[in-house]
Amino acid sequence: GTFSADLPHARAHCVSFPILLTTARVGQVGGQRNERFCNNCFCYVCDVKASDCKGWLDAGHCHAQHKDKHWLNLREATREAHNPNPKKKA
């Protein structure tokens, strides 16, 4: 493998399965594009391994990447939901 493929990475940065930028919001069962992932891909929205992401297809997390405000906002909302009392910097 390659160094970058051997480390955990967001699905959008996978060198084994390059992402196709799209405005799609749902993945396809058996899809051969963004739906695919390697063993080191993580969900951009949930910050869990892609294989463990509950929204990979139904919520379209397979398409999530930082250049789309929809996914960026969803990622921030998901993080806030999991950490409702973040420490504020003074």
Side-chain angles (χ1 to χ4, degrees):
T2 63
F3 179 72
S4 57
D6 294 336
L7 296 174
H9 52 268
R11 169 62 187 88
H13 299 157
C14 187
V15 295
S16 298
F17 300 106
I19 197 162
L20 173 68
L21 297 181
T22 178
T23 57
R25 301 295 184 229
V26 178
Q28 301 295 316
V29 174
Q32 295 297 304
R33 291 300 229 153
N34 296 343
E35 295 84 356
R36 298 177 74 191
F37 53 85
C38 77
N39 290 334
N40 290 314
C41 281
F42 270 69
C43 174
Y44 176 76
V45 175
C46 301
D47 268 339
V48 299
K49 286 191 84 158
S51 58
D52 295 333
C53 174
K54 305 273 190 256
W56 195 252
L57 295 177
D58 293 343
H61 292 186
C62 59
H63 300 302
Q65 43 83 21
H66 70 281
K67 294 180 180 177
D68 184 324
K69 284 191 180 246
H70 170 78
W71 299 118
L72 183 60
N73 292 338
L74 189 56
R75 176 183 169 93
E76 289 174 5
T78 300
R79 285 182 164 192
E80 288 175 10
H82 287 106
N83 188 15
N85 298 313
K87 292 181 180 176
K88 304 225 185 227
K89 293 183 179 179

